[in-house]
Each structure stands twice: as structure tokens, then as C-alpha cells.
Amino acid sequence: MINNATFADQLLAWFDHHGRNHLPWQKNRNGYRVWVSEIMLQQTQVTTVIPYFERFVGRFPTAKDLAHAPIDEVLSLWTGLGYYSRARNLHHSAITIAEQHKGQVPKDLESLMALKGIGRSTAGAIISQAYNQQGIILDGNVKRLLTRLYAIEGWPGQSQIDKQLWGIATDLTPNQRNADYTQAIMDIGATVCRPKQPLCVACPMQNHCQALAQDKVATIPTPKPKKDIPHKNISVLLLKNKHGQTCLEQRPSKGIWGGLWSLPEFANLKALQTQLALDGLPTQTRPLAPIKHAFSHYKLTIEPHLLVLDKMPQKISENSKSQWYDNQQIHTIGLATPIKKLLEKTP
Ligand code: SF4
């Protein structure tokens, strides 16, 4: 079994030759830039995050700038990145940072974890990456690396395995070169100890890796027990007026696409037509090609129905969050991605 000092030394030696040190959040490093990058990276790969990060910090260079921005603009810059609660939490926490921490991202674990959207691993990453202090991380990449290195079987989401992994991660983390160590352990997990076809021949840990020695690399980490993914169908109304504007509704702040703009949604076509009749509108709509969209916990089929009005209605529905938008405006608001695609191809 590898000892802690050897692990850190070998990992840092590997990092000095192969690690990533030109990522945009590694330039002008500060708590705010590292925090934004860590939140974006929570569910998304580095190459996807880079342009979003550049746009986001270009528009909101500090936590105070973010705190003062309207949430709609924040969501607009997040459109396409998914998991929108991350953007809402970021905005909420920026307000807390502006009000309670003089605009500076905190440097201690407790204050960081008191902010919305920051868990223990993200807090550890911020402490080490932004402030070069000892911060422990255990993201998905690190979990995969450690379960293989120690041949730990069983789904890592189980609480006793999670606890065991935190213990190992804590023991292995050195108290110097903290920012480099954190980047190194994330990088090796992402680029060498990959989920599929890990590059064991290029891995500095190959002589210490228990999964490799026991020929268990392909089966560790143990996958999450499978549940059937449910499937849901909805109908949406693509209502256009004679000026070419589209009627959009803002979704509730909680739930799927929380706070984003979308089309009025109905359980099925019958419910959609009932609402049109109640609003005194024609009920003959034109069906458009269905759109399929996959979330992590269910699959969605969206059936759009087009209705073009030749005169403006008295009211669209009881929803006070409805508004008419020009096609050019859809790029300036936070829109659900499949709906944005639909609007772009239905001018
Ligand atoms: S030897 Fe292979 S399985 Fe083991 S840590 Fe390295 S890349 Fe991962």
C-alpha cells in the first residue's frame, strides 16, 4: 500500500509534467474565480465549462457584480450549461458574500459550507485552489481514483464508503503545494484514471494500484444500483402573434428549469385546448415535431403545438408571468435549452 508522502510526491511530480496549468480560472486566481469555476465544473467537463466561464466572469468580474445582477441575466449566461439550481445558488451566495463578507469569498470551511451550493468537496477545492491552504477534495474523479487505488468495492455513494474515502483523502492530502495537489488529483482522475479505458500504463500510481493488481479496474468503482428511468410526455403551446412575437412563461423558481423562461406547458393536448377555449382563443393548433430531452432522473418528450394569432388576445392565461418576446430577445433571457432550439428553428 502506498504511503501518504510517496503518493503526494509522485502525484506532484506527474503534475509538473502533465497537469493542467493554463485553465482560465488559474489566471488571476482569486476566491471568486475559483468558486465560479468549481460550481460550473460540478456536473460539467472542463472543455464545455471554459467558454461559459469566460463569458460569466467577463460580465460579472467580482462577487459584488454578480450580487447586483438580475437573476434573469445570470440564468441567461448559464443557458445550455444545465443544472440551473447551480446558477441560482451562485447568485444567492454572491448576495450573502456581498452583505456578510465584504464581497470576498470566505477562506474557511465553515463559512464556505454555509453558502448555498457549496458542499464539503467544493469548499476544500476553493480553500486549496484559491488560497493555497490545506483543503480536502473528494469529487467524482477523486472518488474513482481512490476506489481503484485501494480496490474499494461497493457503490461510493453509500455512506460508509463515502466516510472511508473522506478518511483516505484527508490522510493523503499534503500540507504544502496545496493548489497544485488539488489540481493534480483532479487532473489525474479526469485524464488518466478515466471512467472507461483508464491509461494505467501512463499512471504514476500503477505500482501501488490494488485494482490493477487484482485485475478489477473494469469493475471498480461499483456503479450505482440501477433504477428504471421514468418517461414523461408534455404538450407545450407555441403561441405567436401577428408581429412574430412568442408568448413565454417564467417557470417557478423550484423544480426543472427553475426560474427559466419556457412555453406554456400542459399535461396533454386536451388540457392545452381547454385552456385556449377558456382564454377565448382558437383551439385548432398545428402539431410540430416532438422533442426528446433527457434529465438525470427522467426522460421527457415535449409535443409542441403552434398557434398563430391574427389579433392580440385579451388575455393569454391566468399566469401573470407570461410575456411576448421578439426572436432577438430570446438570446438575452434564461431559456430552457430545448425550447430555445425550438424557437430558433420556428421563426
Ligand atoms: S493504475 Fe489504472 S486504475 Fe490504478 S489508479 Fe492508475 S489509472 Fe487508475
Side-chain angles (χ1 to χ4, degrees), residues 148 204 291 300:
R148 285 176 175 162
I291 305 163
L300 182 67

Side-chain angles (χ1 to χ4, degrees), residues 144-146 148-149 188 192-194 198-213 216-218 220:
R144 184 169 58 254
L145 175 76
L146 298 184
R148 285 176 175 162
L149 197 57
I188 199 170
V192 178
C193 197
R194 307 179 301 198
L199 302 172
C200 299
V201 286
C203 178
M205 304 302 159
Q206 58 182 284
N207 293 331
H208 311 286
C209 178
Q210 298 298 305
L212 187 63
K216 290 180 176 171
V217 172
I220 295 179

Side-chain angles (χ1 to χ4, degrees), residues 83-291:
Y83 298 95
Y84 295 91
S85 60
R86 294 183 298 173
R88 290 195 301 276
N89 288 340
L90 206 54
H91 186 244
H92 185 281
S93 295
I95 295 169
T96 309
I97 289 169
E99 288 174 353
Q100 297 177 15
H101 301 282
K102 298 182 179 155
Q104 300 303 314
V105 173
K107 297 182 176 178
D108 64 287
L109 194 69
E110 198 184 332
S111 306
L112 283 166
M113 288 179 67
L115 296 170
K116 267 193 162 183
I118 300 187
R120 188 172 164 191
S121 181
T122 302
I126 295 170
I127 289 170
S128 57
Q129 297 255 297
Y131 303 123
N132 208 20
Q133 301 294 313
Q134 193 182 40
I136 321 293
I137 72 150
L138 188 64
D139 68 0
N141 288 324
V142 179
K143 280 184 186 174
R144 184 169 58 254
L145 175 76
L146 298 184
T147 51
R148 285 176 175 162
L149 197 57
Y150 290 82
I152 296 170
E153 292 176 88
W155 177 49
Q158 289 173 57
S159 63
Q160 84 273 17
I161 295 181
D162 187 65
K163 205 169 155 197
Q164 183 184 3
L165 291 172
W166 271 108
I168 295 171
T170 305
D171 288 344
L172 291 178
T173 304
N175 54 15
Q176 51 194 354
R177 293 192 66 188
N178 299 288
D180 286 348
Y181 176 83
T182 293
Q183 190 64 50
I185 198 163
M186 290 194 295
D187 283 356
I188 199 170
T191 64
V192 178
C193 197
R194 307 179 301 198
K196 290 193 179 129
Q197 299 176 328
L199 302 172
C200 299
V201 286
C203 178
M205 304 302 159
Q206 58 182 284
N207 293 331
H208 311 286
C209 178
Q210 298 298 305
L212 187 63
Q214 297 170 27
D215 197 18
K216 290 180 176 171
V217 172
T219 57
I220 295 179
T222 307
K224 186 177 180 179
K226 273 214 168 94
K227 276 199 269 173
D228 284 343
I229 296 185
H231 193 146
K232 190 177 162 188
N233 276 55
I234 56 165
S235 294
V236 294
L237 176 62
L238 177 46
L239 184 63
K240 290 192 158 275
N241 66 27
K242 60 180 179 178
H243 307 295
Q245 295 171 312
T246 303
C247 174
L248 297 178
E249 268 183 16
Q250 193 165 30
R251 296 182 64 87
S253 60
K254 289 217 161 71
I256 293 302
W257 298 323
L260 296 186
W261 290 87
S262 185
L263 295 174
E265 176 186 322
F266 301 88
N268 49 42
L269 178 59
K270 191 157 180 260
L272 185 156
Q273 288 172 327
T274 302
Q275 184 63 54
L276 288 174
L278 283 171
D279 289 345
L281 297 173
T283 56
Q284 289 307 310
T285 55
R286 179 155 70 84
L288 302 176
I291 305 163

